[in-house]
Amino acid sequence: MNPKKAIALNKKKQRQKLIEIGIVLGLVFIFAVILPILLPGFRLRLLGRILSLSIVALGIDLIWGYTGLLSLGHGIFFALGGYGLAMHLKLQLPDGQLPEFFTLYGVRELPWFWYPFYSFPVTIMAVIVIPGIVAGLLGYLVFRNRIKGVYFSIITQAALLVFFNFFNGQQKLINGTNGLKTDTETIFGMLASSDLAQKTFYIITVIALVVVYYLCRLLTSGRFGRLLVAIRDDETRVRFSGYDPTGYKVLVFAISGAIAGIAGALYTVQTGIITPKFMEVPFSIEMVIWVAVGGRATLIGAIIGTLLVRLGQTFLSESFPEVWLFFQGALFLIVVTVLPDGIVGWWRDFAWNKLRHILGLQKRIITYPSLEENPEVIQEKAELEEN
Amino acid sequence: MNKVLEIENLTVNFDGFKALNNLNFSMDSGELRVIIGPNGAGKTTFLDVITGKVQPTQGRVLFKGRNLKKIPEYKIARMGIGRKFQTPRVYLNLTVRENLDLVCNHNKNVFSTLFNRPKSGEIRTVAGLLETIGLEAKAESPAALLSHGEKQRLEIGMLVAQSPDLLLVDEPAAGLTDEETENVGALILSLAEAHSIIAIEHDMEFVRQIAKNKVTVLHQGSVLCEGKMDEVQNDPRVIEVYLGKAPE
Amino acid sequence: MSVLIEGLFNGISIGSVLLIAALGLAIVFGLMGVINLAHGELMMLGAYSTFVVQNVFKPWGEPWFSFYIVVAIPIAFMVAAIAGLVLERGVIRFLYGRPLETLLATWGVSLILRQFVRSVNWLLVICVAVFCLLFFAGMTFLSRRSDWERIRNWTLAILLPLSAAIAVATGFLMSKVPVLTKAWFSARNVDVTAPSWLRGGVKVLGFQMPYARLFIIALTIICLVAVYWFLNRSTWGLRIRAVTQNRAMSSCLGIPTAKVDALTFAIGSGLAGVAGCAVSLLGSVGPNTGQNYIVDTFMVVVVGGVGNLFGAIFAGLGIGIVNYLIGSGTLALMFSSIEALKPLVDFLLFFATSSMAKVMVFVLIIGFLQVKPAGLFPQKGRNVEL
């Protein structure tokens, strides 16, 4: 490649980067500043919930879209994050008092694992680290034995069921089926359901989404990201090239779990309660379909997919509650069979070209069907002209 | 001369079927050895054992004097054994340059891959390799768009990027045109100057092109005979296993 | 001692339910590498068919009513098999080689089936029938044209919404008729009464063996023998095994692989139907019945390994027995007399509920997979993808 061309390419890249940063900043401005003014409180709360769900979707895209690991158990990590923050809120009490549900079961002393959650910084750490560690451990035990594909999926599903059973059955530890209510608790002296608190949660959600998005960008570009794609495409080859895929998979699964934990915590405070229901099987599979709708292996697709599906669900299930399940089932079928690359993939591979074609612009070349566009031919031509 | 690879009494048993049966083999470092043998002779299993994909039931494999028993594949690869598969296996969704860059990475730990940027030396190696395998012009296009022969060349390039001491090449000429076969043959010969190579091949034309030294014939999981190409070709036992017994 | 035997018996009876449910799944997974998340819903269809058959027999009174179960089993098999066939031809066939997508698609089907039994009424059936009639008749008619390839996408784009619109319009027109809009089953659970000869039980060694459980064990054994015979002694079984071993080669040898796939899937689904029939004897049946069994069933397949019936048998019975021994507290009870084992007993008591037993079983399964990652009877050879 000659230096002139390289500089031109570099400039183009820089310009693209600037445009992208502009778009992201604009979106953040709309979501963080304009929408809170325009939308009534309960709608904003809904939007905040959806945005926090799109954070999990990013985590799932990271492992499914890029690394090819389909987890049907992300509800575990989501709920762990939620429980962490909810426990902190439950402990906003005068000294020596226990959260009221304990008295119902005759528990006098706070279970040991509640103590760290008195401290806010520790809670924030725990919300991220605990789901990450649980995911990493589960991942290690499974990946180490080269269990993958559908086996991995159904093992994560079984793990989900197990966690559900555990949280559901342990009234004396974590209030069982009833879950932990956060709406009536205070955080920093503020009622968690008050408008100000909710608005703050919303803004934090928007910021967290941007941060997580850039984290995922960082992970999926560069060598690490390319290695994830390589693992997805041909794991055996990766091994024979001298990489140990297990470590990479464990790390990326743990990161994905930690992301789900953050999302769960944000979702919980904007819902007002966390119960073991967050770990039901359908919810975790639903998370996967958000990614599929938006488009796998495109981070922006995960966010778009979540927004579309959740908004659609809100309106449809409000107006036709019985048929919603039919719609959802059909959505799974349609996305998998007709739109395997999701909306973003469809736009990139098909609609964009079609649009350019209609506007009379040249078709973008993905391969080089004609001689004039073959890079080898172009290079030779350029060399001939130079001489 | 020191041995790069020694194999002693190797047996691999798949539920009663002996894919390899009491096989003994050794080669000097710097040698280019061609292995031939009819279908089901155990050629691919032989490579599987060396690279650690299959564990031997009996016997041992010594690479530069070290026993490879129970060492995982990726560590064997890091010790310096590179393998090319029967059908080209490259990462279809990555570009040619990215394919080479991944293998070229010197420190393959998780965290150094995550945090370290590619070194300038590695970038130069990749550029040099692109030239060697003749895919400079297509460096930025995804590997999925390459032709079969280009994929073969890319995979051999990836092997070299790994800078192994021993290259295992499984049927590099399969499915190539005559011209491409010759290119690949020349590539292997030029690699043989700096590496030890084991090549498995069916195409006798090609074997004749590359087999300057010894040829090993495998049959039913053990070594049938070994020697120069001409000797092997005229060995009655070899003719028998390839063509069947001549009618009396 | 009798405690242990009772525990074993109950464990085996739980295990046999798991086994009969897992049998179909294991066959399908072995052949096509497809995990069918709608398997539980096919069980549910079998259970509902049993319920319908029972209601048909009810007015005839005894002695006919006693034998409804004999009729219900083949009908449950047929209903589930047909549903499975439609599922394979309609969806899964397009997704071979993409197991993770198949997982999601079958989940979609399972959602639809669950909602279907909740809201099924004559109106819905009529609408679906109208849609199928218009759409498929139109497609068949137009596919005879010579320029079919060219107009196919347009036909789809026009025919699909058109027939859907007509079907919905029909639905709206007839929605005033109350007979048509009455739901068949409603969302509540329905109860299948076991025939009189399956009620009660036999007393052995001081504990009660319920006939219903014995019947399920017998049914499982019959199914196992039938499947074993079918796979190993019949022509189609031979073909199925051939395709399981090497799909490309079988296809070259003239085995109709598409037909083999469809047949296998239908049989696997049919077995789910039989399992549903068995399950209906144990308790009430609802739209979510399948979900209660599905994860345990998957675990049987994971532990048993692919392509071996014996693996499924050992895994099913093993999981069933361990589950019961821990969940019922039998294990804790056995050790309770020994003072030195107090901590162990406390530990076991912590897991001595049916839901906590699942936690323990899962931990054991994960531990088991550390030793034998490919299940009890792993496949060996060069073709095994590591």
Side-chain angles (χ1 to χ4, degrees):
Chain A
M1 209 183 294
N2 57 31
K4 236 190 240 164
K5 218 167 138 193
I7 291 170
L9 210 77
N10 238 342
K11 260 197 179 151
K12 202 178 160 197
K13 259 189 193 159
Q14 259 175 356
R15 214 178 57 206
Q16 271 177 347
K17 214 170 197 175
L18 277 179
I19 293 176
E20 197 203 296
I21 290 177
I23 292 176
V24 169
L25 281 180
L27 282 176
V28 169
F29 182 73
I30 293 175
F31 273 98
V33 180
I34 297 186
L35 283 180
I37 298 171
L38 289 180
L39 290 177
F42 77 100
R43 287 280 172 208
L44 193 70
R45 218 173 146 164
L46 180 74
L47 187 64
R49 284 213 295 271
I50 295 178
L51 286 180
S52 43
L53 290 178
S54 63
I55 297 179
V56 209
L58 279 175
I60 288 184
D61 200 11
L62 198 61
I63 54 164
W64 184 38
Y66 287 91
T67 327
L69 309 165
L70 177 60
S71 159
L72 300 181
H74 255 51
I76 300 171
F77 317 122
F78 188 79
L80 283 176
Y83 267 107
L85 191 54
M87 277 157 79
H88 175 69
L89 288 177
K90 278 282 174 205
L91 289 175
Q92 303 296 309
L93 295 165
D95 268 346
Q97 250 179 311
L98 290 188
E100 79 278 19
F101 71 86
F102 278 126
T103 50
L104 288 179
Y105 309 113
V107 179
R108 295 280 161 70
E109 205 167 307
L110 202 60
W112 57 271
F113 63 89
W114 278 70
Y115 282 104
F117 291 92
Y118 271 116
S119 138
F120 183 71
V122 172
T123 305
I124 294 302
M125 285 287 289
V127 156
I128 302 171
V129 172
I130 290 179
I133 289 177
V134 171
L137 194 69
L138 182 68
Y140 175 71
L141 289 175
V142 175
F143 298 138
R144 171 180 112 84
N145 294 304
R146 305 195 182 166
I147 294 170
K148 55 185 184 186
V150 281
Y151 272 94
F152 173 71
S153 302
I154 57 185
I155 285 177
T156 50
Q157 191 179 44
L160 179 72
L161 199 74
V162 160
F163 272 83
F164 174 78
N165 277 328
F166 188 86
F167 278 79
N168 215 17
Q170 298 302 325
Q171 274 99 357
K172 290 184 179 174
L173 298 179
I174 200 90
N175 203 17
T177 326
N178 303 323
L180 304 177
K181 211 161 164 18
T182 60
D183 253 1
T184 47
E185 308 297 331
T186 54
I187 183 164
F188 292 120
M190 216 170 9
L191 191 66
S193 58
S194 66
D195 262 3
L196 183 64
Q198 286 298 325
K199 220 166 240 178
T200 320
F201 292 143
Y202 174 80
I203 306 264
I204 294 174
T205 308
V206 173
I207 295 170
L209 181 60
V210 175
V211 171
V212 169
Y213 174 75
Y214 270 99
L215 175 76
C216 291
R217 275 284 291 270
L218 196 78
L219 288 172
T220 54
S221 58
R223 258 187 194 161
F224 188 80
R226 292 200 286 271
L227 195 81
L228 296 184
V229 173
I231 290 175
R232 179 189 72 192
D233 288 353
D234 194 342
E235 194 178 328
T236 314
R237 188 84 190 78
V238 170
R239 214 172 269 133
F240 285 119
S241 304
Y243 289 99
D244 180 16
T246 311
Y248 289 87
K249 284 158 90 175
V250 169
L251 179 68
V252 84
F253 193 56
I255 292 175
S256 173
I259 290 174
I262 300 171
L266 290 167
Y267 187 81
T268 300
V269 286
Q270 294 179 80
T271 311
I273 190 167
I274 174 132
T275 68
K277 272 199 160 52
F278 284 36
M279 288 188 271
E280 278 182 344
V281 171
F283 185 53
S284 289
I285 302 187
E286 228 183 279
M287 294 175 185
V288 175
I289 208 67
W290 303 330
V291 179
V293 167
R296 265 174 294 162
T298 57
L299 293 172
I300 199 74
I303 301 175
I304 294 175
T306 315
L307 285 174
L308 282 179
V309 176
R310 281 310 280 208
L311 284 175
Q313 175 170 3
T314 313
F315 293 120
L316 273 176
S317 58
E318 267 171 20
S319 25
F320 321 92
E322 324 91 77
V323 288
W324 164 242
L325 267 187
F326 280 132
F327 269 105
Q328 207 187 6
L331 187 68
F332 273 90
L333 286 177
I334 290 169
V335 166
V336 167
T337 49
V338 185
L339 264 186
D341 290 325
I343 293 172
V344 173
W346 171 78
W347 172 257
R348 186 188 53 204
D349 299 338
F350 182 76
W352 178 234
N353 276 335
K354 200 88 179 172
L355 195 72
R356 284 174 74 107
H357 182 73
I358 291 169
L359 293 175
L361 294 168
Q362 203 195 11
K363 210 173 152 185
R364 199 163 49 110
I365 302 296
I366 302 171
T367 174
Y368 28 87
S370 64
L371 201 61
E372 289 80 48
E373 277 142 3
N374 190 330
E376 266 169 19
V377 178
I378 292 175
Q379 199 179 21
E380 276 167 24
K381 222 186 206 169
E383 277 164 15
L384 277 179
E385 277 164 13
E386 264 173 39
N387 294 339
Chain B
M1 203 183 270
N2 55 338
K3 302 277 182 202
V4 65
L5 188 71
E6 282 171 284
I7 290 172
E8 295 162 7
N9 299 326
L10 189 67
T11 301
V12 172
N13 201 333
F14 292 135
D15 282 337
F17 169 70
K18 285 187 174 169
L20 291 180
N21 191 3
N22 220 358
L23 182 134
N24 287 295
F25 178 89
S26 78
M27 69 183 272
D28 300 328
S29 80
E31 192 183 337
L32 166 59
R33 177 73 66 96
V34 182
I35 295 181
I36 58 175
N39 281 326
K43 294 175 309 244
T44 303
T45 309
F46 179 67
L47 293 194
D48 282 350
V49 174
I50 298 176
T51 49
K53 193 179 171 199
V54 170
Q55 283 298 324
T57 321
Q58 257 173 44
R60 56 183 196 159
V61 180
L62 299 174
F63 172 64
K64 292 195 285 188
R66 277 186 65 185
N67 194 344
L68 295 183
K69 198 176 168 77
K70 297 227 164 126
I71 298 182
E73 291 106 312
Y74 72 94
K75 278 194 184 149
I76 293 181
R78 284 185 197 172
M79 282 163 69
I81 295 184
R83 175 174 186 180
K84 196 203 136 330
F85 287 86
Q86 214 158 347
T87 43
R89 285 171 91 165
V90 295
Y91 308 118
L92 297 178
N93 288 313
L94 301 178
T95 68
V96 173
R97 190 189 296 281
E98 288 168 349
N99 262 292
L100 289 171
D101 176 68
L102 262 193
V103 190
C104 206
N105 186 4
H106 269 297
N107 195 341
K108 289 173 177 164
N109 288 326
V110 179
F111 289 101
S112 59
T113 309
L114 181 54
F115 294 118
N116 293 355
R117 313 209 115 253
K119 296 191 183 62
S120 60
E122 289 167 8
I123 293 174
R124 248 175 290 140
T125 319
V126 170
L129 273 170
L130 279 172
E131 205 171 333
T132 316
I133 57 174
L135 289 175
E136 263 176 314
K138 294 182 178 172
E140 308 305 330
S141 56
L145 300 180
L146 298 182
S147 72
H148 185 74
E150 287 168 333
K151 280 182 200 154
Q152 293 276 36
R153 294 212 302 269
L154 173 58
E155 203 186 3
I156 293 176
M158 285 163 73
L159 265 191
V160 180
Q162 224 173 302
S163 59
D165 302 314
L166 175 62
L167 280 170
L168 307 175
V169 201
D170 199 349
E171 298 199 19
L176 297 185
T177 62
D178 288 349
E179 194 197 333
E180 284 172 326
T181 308
E182 207 159 313
N183 281 338
V184 170
L187 188 56
I188 288 180
L189 282 176
S190 71
L191 292 176
E193 287 161 16
H195 303 86
S196 317
I197 299 181
I198 294 181
I200 285 184
E201 194 43 72
H202 266 310
D203 182 346
M204 286 305 151
E205 226 17 74
F206 184 69
V207 172
R208 236 168 264 128
Q209 187 194 345
I210 61 173
K212 305 292 182 214
N213 290 315
K214 265 197 212 164
V215 174
T216 301
V217 185
L218 286 192
H219 179 54
Q220 292 182 345
S222 32
V223 174
L224 187 72
C225 71
E226 229 170 43
K228 290 256 188 246
M229 186 66 192
D230 301 333
E231 298 163 26
V232 165
Q233 247 177 334
N234 297 322
D235 191 311
R237 286 174 304 170
V238 176
I239 297 172
E240 189 188 316
V241 300
Y242 265 98
L243 301 175
K245 217 176 183 110
E248 300 291 322
Chain C
M1 192 58 208
S2 87
V3 177
L4 187 65
I5 294 179
E6 186 179 356
L8 277 182
F9 171 76
N10 283 324
I12 289 174
S13 80
I14 294 175
S16 59
V17 173
L18 286 182
L19 182 53
I20 198 172
L23 204 54
L25 202 66
I27 295 171
V28 171
F29 186 50
L31 180 78
M32 317 193 231
V34 161
I35 282 280
N36 180 7
L37 281 184
H39 198 78
E41 276 57 45
L42 294 170
M43 276 174 75
M44 173 202 71
L45 282 186
Y48 272 92
S49 331
T50 314
F51 175 70
V52 170
V53 171
Q54 173 210 260
N55 283 357
V56 169
F57 272 68
K58 216 171 230 166
W60 298 359
E62 298 292 343
W64 296 107
F65 183 67
S66 304
F67 294 103
Y68 84 83
I69 199 83
V70 182
V71 181
I73 290 172
I75 287 188
F77 182 89
M78 287 309 291
V79 168
I82 290 170
L85 197 64
V86 172
L87 173 60
E88 202 273 341
R89 290 284 89 187
V91 182
I92 293 176
R93 141 171 97 113
F94 302 109
L95 297 172
Y96 282 128
R98 290 158 62 196
L100 299 181
E101 276 91 338
T102 318
L103 212 63
L104 294 180
T106 50
W107 176 255
V109 172
S110 100
L111 287 180
I112 292 175
L113 282 177
R114 254 180 274 165
Q115 185 61 38
F116 179 78
V117 295
R118 273 193 205 116
S119 54
V120 62
N121 50 29
W122 282 112
L123 188 66
L124 188 67
V125 173
I126 291 173
C127 288
V128 171
V130 166
F131 173 79
C132 288
L133 197 70
L134 286 173
F135 182 67
F136 289 107
M139 290 293 275
T140 352
F141 177 69
L142 285 170
S143 66
R144 298 227 177 98
R145 289 177 55 129
S146 56
D147 55 350
W148 168 240
E149 283 306 318
R150 198 167 53 78
I151 59 168
R152 195 167 82 179
N153 285 339
W154 285 106
T155 331
L156 265 176
I158 295 169
L159 214 52
L160 197 71
L162 194 68
S163 24
I166 294 177
V168 170
T170 326
F172 271 114
L173 284 179
M174 297 207 276
S175 63
K176 297 286 176 294
V177 191
V179 187
L180 294 182
T181 52
K182 190 173 171 296
W184 290 2
F185 306 114
S186 86
R188 268 178 297 129
N189 285 7
V190 294
D191 280 305
V192 173
T193 4
S196 52
W197 55 278
L198 281 180
R199 277 173 249 156
V202 60
K203 241 188 160 79
V204 179
L205 288 170
F207 76 94
Q208 190 86 356
M209 281 191 185
Y211 285 129
R213 297 239 171 223
L214 287 172
F215 177 74
I216 291 174
I217 294 174
L219 188 64
T220 308
I221 293 172
I222 293 171
C223 283
L224 270 174
V225 172
V227 166
Y228 184 82
W229 179 86
F230 175 76
L231 285 180
N232 289 298
R233 295 280 181 276
S234 71
T235 327
W236 277 101
L238 181 66
R239 288 177 188 160
I240 289 176
R241 280 183 297 142
V243 177
T244 311
Q245 298 260 319
N246 189 336
R247 177 173 292 268
M249 195 64 219
S250 312
S251 176
C252 291
L253 290 173
I255 295 174
T257 50
K259 258 189 206 159
V260 168
D261 287 339
L263 179 77
T264 316
F265 205 86
I267 289 175
S269 310
L271 285 170
V274 176
C277 188
V279 162
S280 69
L281 294 175
L282 294 178
S284 61
V285 173
N288 288 328
T289 297
Q291 288 301 304
N292 303 334
Y293 290 91
I294 193 79
V295 175
D296 288 335
T297 323
F298 287 152
M299 287 301 110
V300 172
V301 176
V302 169
V303 172
V306 186
N308 196 320
L309 278 183
F310 294 104
I313 296 173
F314 281 116
L317 296 183
I319 291 179
I321 290 170
V322 173
N323 210 333
Y324 183 80
L325 287 184
I326 294 174
S328 65
T330 313
L331 220 50
L333 202 68
M334 273 164 49
F335 294 124
S336 62
S337 53
I338 309 164
E339 195 54 39
L341 292 175
K342 185 84 172 56
L344 180 69
V345 172
D346 284 345
F347 177 75
L348 286 170
L349 277 177
F350 184 71
F351 290 99
T353 62
S354 62
S355 65
M356 287 304 289
K358 283 192 173 153
V359 178
M360 192 68 209
V361 168
F362 178 73
V363 172
L364 290 177
I365 288 174
I366 291 288
F368 170 79
L369 289 177
Q370 303 307 308
V371 191
K372 280 197 155 284
L376 284 168
F377 295 99
Q379 287 177 319
K380 282 184 184 165
R382 217 182 89 189
N383 294 328
V384 178
E385 177 64 34
L386 278 174

